[in-house]
Amino acid sequence: MASDAVAVRPAEERDRRALAELFAAVASERDGIATEPPVDVAAWAAKWGLDGTVVAVADEDIVGELRVEPSWFGYGEIGMMVAARWRGRGVGSALVAAAIEWARAQGMHKLSLSVFPHNAAAIALYRKFGFVEEGRRIKHLRRANGELWDLIDMGLLL
Ligand SMILES: CC(C)(COP(=O)(O)OP(=O)(O)OC[C@H]1O[C@@H](n2cnc3c(N)ncnc32)[C@H](O)[C@@H]1OP(=O)(O)O)[C@@H](O)C(=O)NCCC(=O)NCCS
């Protein structure tokens, strides 16, 4: 369970800047998400799709977010992150649970995502909620340092 101090709710207009700052911080780790620095925080704040985004809030700080990007074809694509200092405390689980509930309420039939093979925490999190591995894209993403990283596709039928 997430710490009692953490609440999950739909994202609101006032969250834009904090969402973009969290995104920039996690991008700078160059490890879990595809985006790497530089991240234009103002631009990301302006364009962030709030519909389908849930946030985890602790003491008025955004400590995690999950966005479901709807497709035209009935499934939604997940992207998510938790602030480094808040990982391993159930925040990611609370976000995924909320996203599954939201997607079902939208009438989606499936959630899907892509994850780096080395991202053991994320893969364990998704498996815990019933996501299964559907395939692997070989050397799919070119990183800023020139490395080519595989991606694992995972999906959950709702
Ligand atoms: C992946 C991420 C979202 C997980 O969030 P989190 O808040 O740490 O997740 P939780 O604390 O809810 O843990 C979920 C499960 O993952 C597993 N887990 C957590 N940390 C782990 C680790 N370091 N290694 C292996 N498994 C781990 C546990 O099984 C846990 O379930 P349990 O506590 O019920 O046993 C977070 O690590 C993160 O934001 N990473 C950077 C960005 C990223 O990788 N995003 C996902 C891109 S696909």
Side-chain angles (χ1 to χ4, degrees):
M1 286 291 288
S3 155
D4 288 344
V6 178
V8 172
R9 61 161 173 77
E12 300 170 3
E13 278 294 329
R14 64 185 162 120
D15 300 328
R16 287 186 175 282
R17 180 85 195 179
L19 281 164
E21 285 173 354
L22 173 63
F23 181 62
V26 176
S28 73
E29 297 174 25
R30 299 185 189 273
D31 184 53
I33 64 173
T35 300
E36 296 179 83
V39 170
D40 182 336
V41 171
W44 274 95
K47 72 182 176 186
W48 198 286
L50 296 176
D51 191 33
T53 297
V54 287
V55 293
V57 185
D59 201 16
E60 299 191 18
D61 283 339
I62 304 275
V63 299
E65 71 80 29
L66 185 155
R67 173 156 162 72
V68 180
E69 176 83 40
S71 73
W72 292 107
F73 309 109
Y75 69 90
E77 186 86 17
I78 284 182
M80 73 177 296
M81 64 206 66
V82 172
R85 69 189 179 285
W86 277 88
R87 290 176 196 159
R89 297 161 67 174
V91 175
S93 298
L95 288 166
V96 172
I100 290 171
E101 196 178 322
W102 182 86
R104 284 198 177 118
Q106 299 297 308
M108 291 179 181
H109 75 280
K110 183 175 180 181
L111 286 171
S112 68
L113 57 89
S114 298
V115 58
F116 292 129
H118 64 256
N119 197 344
I123 291 169
L125 168 61
Y126 302 135
R127 280 192 186 137
K128 186 171 102 170
F129 282 90
F131 284 78
V132 295
E133 289 162 39
E134 298 182 331
R136 185 170 179 130
R137 302 187 203 196
I138 305 300
K139 297 188 185 302
H140 200 62
L141 290 193
R142 181 161 58 211
R143 306 295 286 171
N145 66 4
E147 291 177 7
L148 301 175
W149 288 8
D150 292 359
L151 276 178
I152 293 174
D153 288 334
M154 300 184 77
L156 174 72
L157 292 171
L158 297 172

